[in-house]
Amino acid sequence: RKEVEQDPGPFNVPEGATVAFNCTYSNSASQSFFWYRQDCRKEPKLLMSVYSSGNEDGRFTAQLNRASQYISLLIRDSKLSDSATYLCVVNRYNFNKFYFGSGTKLNVKP
Amino acid sequence: DTEVTQTPKHLVMGMTNKKSLKCEQHMGHRAMYWYKQKAKKPPELMFVYSYEKLSINESVPSRFSPECPNSSLLNLHLHALQPEDSALYLCASSPGGTDRETQYFGPGTRLLVL
């Protein structure tokens, strides 16, 4: 079983829509959780860190459910510029190895 | 400043060449990483250095040789590569040894092996 699993999409949504991605992780020792955004032919860029039950940053909300071992990312009022691949990344305490999901592709259409 | 720099941006090399990729960070991070990324796939871990010591080698072929000259620098030496090694090579760093490790990526080197 993969450490981190994501729906690869693509998710095709109109501008202004709300879209949610889920990510599940298999190891209950996982401690830190992240969403990265990656544009085509660019490096992953940190979007949000998720350490407790969740956090919000503008139009983006990340939630963590430790009991069910999943993380979600909600994007409200989607913009064309939100089109990218969103990577779910998980890390265990004091262990320098990060586990990546396969990424979820989002296309926001006018 | 959460900047990781990488040089060169692009590299074309033949299968008999020797080249090196360079990575630098000035955030005081003590963990540094090399990843390989193919199109439409997530980054794939190659090596981890922790406090300038190699801590993880993900069974990478010996034609890739990492080096960490000091806590700010990370090199990846390339020799006798194959065309299938063409990919985006990403360097990343994280603080190292904290309970909330966050990883930051450089812009990558796009490598083409002919």
Side-chain angles (χ1 to χ4, degrees), chain A residues 44-71:
Chain A
K45 292 203 163 142
L46 181 67
L47 181 65
M48 297 182 81
S49 305
V50 192
Y51 294 116
S52 56
S53 60
N55 48 298
E56 185 174 320
D57 182 3
R59 297 182 294 109
F60 299 86
T61 300
Q63 292 201 307
L64 168 63
N65 184 318
R66 286 190 186 273
S68 301
Q69 295 184 198
Y70 81 80
I71 316 116

Side-chain angles (χ1 to χ4, degrees), chain B residues 2-74:
Chain B
T2 55
E3 191 179 30
V4 178
T5 58
Q6 288 187 245
T7 55
K9 286 190 178 2
H10 301 275
L11 180 61
V12 180
M13 59 188 289
M15 289 189 282
T16 58
N17 292 158
K18 281 186 182 181
K19 296 285 184 184
S20 296
L21 309 185
K22 295 186 184 306
C23 173
E24 190 166 7
Q25 56 87 16
H26 293 290
M27 295 179 276
H29 287 177
R30 302 310 298 271
M32 294 185 78
Y33 310 75
W34 280 116
Y35 288 88
K36 172 182 177 180
Q37 188 175 25
K38 299 282 251 183
K40 301 190 180 186
K41 297 285 188 185
E44 181 186 331
L45 183 66
M46 300 174 74
F47 302 104
V48 182
Y49 273 83
S50 180
Y51 291 79
E52 295 146 62
K53 287 185 170 29
L54 184 64
S55 62
I56 297 176
N57 175 343
E58 293 285 273
S59 303
V60 179
S62 59
R63 56 186 185 269
F64 295 92
S65 173
E67 180 197 16
C68 189
N70 61 55
S71 59
S72 300
L73 290 173
L74 187 65

